[in-house]
Amino acid sequence: MATFFRLLLGYMWDGFHSQERLKAEIITLRHQLNILHRMAPKRLRLSGGGRALFVWLYRRSRWKTFLGNHADGSASVDFLIVPTLAFERLFVLVILGLGRRRLLWIGVTTNPTAEWPAGQITEAFPWDTVPGFLIRDNDGAYGKSFTRRLRAMGSRDRPIAPRSPWQNGYVERSIGSISRECLDHVFIWGEAHFGMS
């Protein structure tokens, strides 16, 4: 009988002891995880296999399907920054139609307020030509007035995922072409000169 009580007491002690040991192990592992998070680089560096996986996922992605299904009724918008000879920065709003990859609108300003892109959208699209979807990045220049204006015009705002410029690739490529083929060969004096170029 004494052996039975000793075994029962030992079993209960092991149960209590293992729970305490488990709690200590969890605390230690959490601490190690916090240290690793602080030491990890901000930007993830992928190996060749990881990149290949993401390329494969991109080619099979829902975003590519969305663009294929809605290209004719969609437009894409992004900003281009142009330095001038007077050491100013011009902010250029570029709007591209995705159906035929046609440049629809270019607006220029030295001071883009939150209302300025909304006004440019109104000028770019008369009421009968409003795209069903407008794809844009998560730039802070697009404020609530911009999204309200789009909604009022009957268009849907489609911001891309953070750090995913490939989702807005057509307008990004167009901006690169404008920079390389036009702006690299001309000195821009200011806002009025850019409008004449």
Side-chain angles (χ1 to χ4, degrees), residues 12-81:
M12 289 172 49
W13 176 256
D14 284 344
F16 176 73
H17 187 65
S18 64
Q19 284 182 355
E20 290 300 315
R21 184 180 296 155
L22 183 63
K23 286 178 185 177
E25 196 173 326
I26 289 172
I27 290 171
T28 304
L29 290 173
R30 283 184 182 167
H31 181 67
Q32 288 176 349
L33 188 61
N34 287 336
I35 291 171
L36 285 175
H37 278 297
R38 278 185 266 146
M39 292 174 54
K42 297 290 181 193
R43 185 178 177 143
L44 183 64
R45 295 186 184 187
L46 298 174
S47 64
R51 288 181 188 201
L53 174 67
F54 278 111
V55 167
W56 180 79
L57 287 172
Y58 163 69
R59 291 188 177 149
R60 307 257 184 277
S61 73
R62 294 173 67 242
W63 187 255
K64 191 173 181 182
T65 304
F66 170 80
L67 287 179
N69 292 339
H70 301 285
D72 289 332
S74 298
S76 188
V77 63
D78 201 2
F79 278 98
L80 165 67
I81 298 175

Side-chain angles (χ1 to χ4, degrees), residues 84-128:
T84 67
L85 285 176
F87 300 106
E88 292 181 326
R89 290 189 314 177
L90 298 179
F91 296 89
V92 182
L93 184 74
V94 178
I95 302 174
L96 183 77
L98 295 182
R100 298 191 180 251
R101 314 247 193 328
R102 197 169 50 118
L103 192 60
L104 300 175
W105 186 262
I106 293 182
V108 183
T109 188
T110 55
N111 186 19
T113 61
E115 289 77 25
W116 184 77
Q120 294 298 305
I121 290 295
T122 304
E123 291 181 32
F125 300 113
W127 289 101
D128 57 343

